[in-house]
Amino acid sequence: MRPPGHGETQPRLDDDRLPVVLVVLDGLGDRPIPELGDRTPSEAAHTPVLDALAARGASGWHLPFGWGRAPSSELAHWALFGYADVAFPGRAVLEALGAGVDVPPGVAVTHAALRTSSVDPDGRVWITGRTAREDADEAAVLLAAVGGLATAHGHRLVPLGGRGEAVLLLPGCASGAVTDSDPFFEDRHPWLRVLPCAEAPQAAPTAEALTALLREARAALVAHPVNADRRRRGRPALDVLTTKWSGALRAVPPFAEHVGTTGAAVTSTRLYRGLAALLGMPAQHLAPDPDHGADLTARLDAARGLLDGGAAFVHVHTKATDDAGHTKDPRAKLAVLEALDPGLAGLLDLAEHAVVAVTGDHATPSTGGVLHTGDPTPLVVAGPTVRRDGVTAFGEAPAHAGWYGAVTARDVLPLLLGHAHRAAFLGHRPTPRRTAALPDAPEPMIER
């Protein structure tokens, strides 16, 4: 500490703020599984690095939105980044930005995808599959046909790649607050009618425009020569366009202004590239490496580079755990956790001079007829200022004994910033916006 200033009795504070690295293992949480001895995959997996991290730090449960609420990745991350009280623009906006699509403010955007279908006697259209990788060329032709229809309606369809995906922009429609036509739960719900959300009656024109286009696209796809040829070859027709994640770009404060400190990201998918772009966070995009250990090693190396470049907070993401959970094979998820664990070894060194955390954004149970659930996901934090709590293993059951208890997504960033000596001092107003961190660069008074 420095000596007190003139007239002061207390020492001047040292600037010993630490950087923060948050590693999110997407879909990490799970449920006890009989074939794993009534343990979750993370409890049953051999993960010596994560166990060592738990032994050096403190643990708890991350329950993003509380018990029972099944989070999506985008909403969980929105809260994890400190934006829980800011209106979410819609995942379609993030997907578009992550693909480099120019998204004008105040224009409705939705994600669209070609799907296969069957029709029941009542005329309901049931989704039976999606575009396979080997369908890429035919999907491109079909999307071009739909794109022509969209253009005739004054809309713009932008393909996103070889899996029959696209973003659809609807100029003249200002609100994206409409329901999904994609049922998600295809065995329970058919292709759905697009409606304005209950809280957004102003989205009625968007719902009407989208419904008109989807019906026209359905007729065109059913009759398209490409699909006729697919049926002759015994291939399912890609004859439905589904939509989901609709929204519209609105002004969102950048991360540095909203949180108070600089943030950056090591991204793995289009969604997180878009999130970083929207929030003005420098990002390094790394395509996933099938060698999960090498993948995490590379991501932590990239995180160090971003820290060296001045970032105070770095988000590192992998979707491998979530993908494994969706296979509904618990041992596949266990194997992914064991494979990626060596790649996290760099966190043990980083924890000497940074606050590091590992958690999931939600639970993706590897059994049962669910996508995501509100079950807890382990949270472990380590660093020079983190007191050990006696937990010595990684997983939901060990983490339950940790000091943090249950932590919601909106509280994770303040928790980490507090350990990093970066917490905003409540009652102090250095900036017009209340921030989670003591701001790096409040506006100075300049002597004239």
Side-chain angles (χ1 to χ4, degrees), residues 142-191:
L142 294 170
L143 280 179
V146 175
L149 298 176
T151 300
H153 283 268
H155 311 319
R156 182 162 68 102
L157 187 78
V158 183
L160 294 179
R163 297 297 300 273
E165 295 180 274
V167 288
L168 176 64
L169 295 92
L170 295 89
C173 297
S175 175
V178 296
T179 59
D180 299 331
S181 65
D182 186 324
F184 277 81
F185 296 87
E186 296 94 342
D187 295 320
R188 305 175 196 181
H189 302 148
W191 189 35

Side-chain angles (χ1 to χ4, degrees), residues 10 171 174 218 231 301 335 355 401 440:
Q10 299 176 354
R218 165 67 172 171
R231 286 189 287 267
D301 287 344
V355 174
D440 290 342

Side-chain angles (χ1 to χ4, degrees), residues 268-283:
S268 61
T269 67
R270 191 169 54 223
L271 167 62
Y272 299 101
R273 292 175 72 174
L275 181 58
L278 178 67
L279 303 185
M281 299 169 68

Side-chain angles (χ1 to χ4, degrees), residues 21-384:
V21 176
L22 171 62
V23 178
V24 176
L25 307 181
D26 202 305
L28 171 65
D30 215 301
R31 290 173 169 175
I33 298 163
E35 67 185 89
L36 298 181
D38 288 326
R39 296 172 296 173
T40 68
S42 56
E43 291 166 5
H46 177 63
T47 53
V49 172
L50 285 168
D51 292 346
L53 199 67
R56 287 178 52 175
S59 296
W61 274 356
H62 178 207
L63 281 163
F65 301 109
W67 285 104
R69 296 180 178 90
S72 63
S73 290
E74 63 272 19
L75 293 180
H77 275 84
W78 193 247
L80 281 169
F81 281 18
Y83 285 78
D85 295 322
V86 178
F88 182 65
R91 178 164 171 170
V93 172
L94 303 185
E95 294 281 345
L97 292 174
V101 176
D102 179 34
V103 180
V107 171
V109 183
T110 193
H111 177 280
L114 292 172
R115 306 294 294 273
T116 64
S117 72
S118 65
V119 183
D120 69 16
D122 295 325
R124 294 177 298 182
V125 179
W126 293 88
I127 304 303
T128 59
R130 62 184 64 245
T131 304
R133 296 190 187 281
E134 60 269 23
D135 297 330
D137 291 342
E138 291 175 324
V141 175
L142 294 170
L143 280 179
V146 175
L149 298 176
T151 300
H153 283 268
H155 311 319
R156 182 162 68 102
L157 187 78
V158 183
L160 294 179
R163 297 297 300 273
E165 295 180 274
V167 288
L168 176 64
L169 295 92
L170 295 89
C173 297
S175 175
V178 296
T179 59
D180 299 331
S181 65
D182 186 324
F184 277 81
F185 296 87
E186 296 94 342
D187 295 320
R188 305 175 196 181
H189 302 148
W191 189 35
L192 299 174
R193 182 182 172 190
V194 179
L195 300 167
C197 293
E199 70 277 9
Q202 71 275 14
T206 306
E208 292 167 5
L210 196 49
T211 296
L213 178 60
L214 291 178
R215 289 189 181 281
E216 192 171 336
R218 165 67 172 171
L221 289 168
V222 168
H224 199 283
V226 165
N227 277 325
D229 184 61
R230 287 177 65 87
R231 286 189 287 267
R232 281 194 298 270
R233 290 166 20 226
R235 301 281 292 173
L238 297 165
D239 55 8
V240 178
L241 192 74
T242 60
T243 54
K244 60 184 177 182
W245 301 332
S246 304
L249 180 61
R250 299 283 187 266
V252 173
F255 187 90
E257 176 185 332
H258 183 71
V259 175
T261 194
T262 52
V266 182
T267 61
S268 61
T269 67
R270 191 169 54 223
L271 167 62
Y272 299 101
R273 292 175 72 174
L275 181 58
L278 178 67
L279 303 185
M281 299 169 68
Q284 184 170 343
H285 185 74
L286 298 179
D289 186 330
D291 181 332
H292 301 305
D295 183 72
L296 265 297
T297 297
R299 293 185 188 282
L300 291 184
D301 287 344
R304 288 189 195 90
L306 291 167
L307 292 176
D308 291 342
F313 168 85
V314 178
H315 167 251
V316 177
H317 178 268
T318 176
K319 192 165 167 52
T321 35
D322 183 66
D323 288 341
H326 284 301
T327 68
K328 297 302 176 182
D329 178 356
R331 295 196 180 278
K333 192 170 184 181
L334 182 153
V336 165
L337 286 164
E338 292 186 342
L340 64 77
D341 183 72
L344 295 172
L347 290 177
L348 299 175
D349 293 329
L350 272 173
E352 297 291 338
H353 54 83
V355 174
V356 302
V358 178
T359 191
D361 53 348
H362 55 77
T364 300
S366 49
T367 58
V370 291
L371 294 175
H372 299 172
T373 66
D375 292 281
T377 187
L379 166 68
V380 61
V381 184

